Amino acid sequence: EEKTCHTKDDEIAAEAWRRHLQRNQSIITDHFQGQYRSELTCPNCGKISVIFDPYMYLTLQLPEEKTCHRKMTFHSVDPTVLPIEIGVTVGRD
C-alpha cells in the first residue's frame, strides 16, 4: 500500500509541475526552481491534505559561529611607523 501512496504522490507531483510549467516555462525555471511537498493533517477529523508547491528560494538554517574573526589595521600617529595588520578573534557572547 505504501508503494501506491508514493506512486499517487508521484503522479500528483508530476501534474502539478506540468501545470506550473504551462505558465512559467523559462531557463530560470529549468535551472533554479523546484517543487516541495506539504502535508497537513486535520486534528479534528484526521483528513490528510497533500499539496505540491513550486519554489525558487529555499531557506536553510546555517550553523552559527561562536566566534567572530576580524582583521584590524593600526595606524600610528608617527609617520615613520608602518601600519600593523592584526587578526582578532572575539567570542559572540
Side-chain angles (χ1 to χ4, degrees):
E1 183 174 299
E2 187 170 306
K3 185 177 181 183
T4 306
C5 290
H6 288 295
T7 302
K8 186 175 180 181
D9 273 0
D10 292 344
E11 292 169 6
I12 294 169
E15 176 61 19
W17 189 248
R18 186 188 65 73
R19 280 186 272 122
H20 176 71
L21 290 178
Q22 285 178 339
R23 298 179 306 277
N24 300 285
Q25 186 63 52
S26 73
I27 193 165
I28 300 299
T29 302
D30 293 344
H31 291 282
F32 300 108
Q33 289 191 341
Q35 182 172 260
Y36 65 90
R37 179 183 184 273
S38 297
E39 181 177 309
L40 296 172
T41 304
C42 177
N44 296 326
C45 69
K47 180 181 180 204
I48 298 172
S49 172
V50 177
I51 59 170
F52 293 88
D53 288 313
Y55 67 85
M56 181 176 281
Y57 307 104
L58 186 60
T59 304
L60 301 174
Q61 185 174 355
L62 299 176
E64 186 176 320
E65 290 187 33
K66 300 288 183 193
T67 57
C68 178
H69 309 284
R70 295 287 184 255
K71 271 198 254 184
M72 298 171 56
T73 305
F74 291 97
H75 297 271
S76 175
V77 291
D78 182 352
T80 63
V81 177
L82 294 174
I84 301 169
E85 191 172 278
I86 298 175
V88 178
T89 301
V90 194
R92 289 193 184 261
D93 297 335

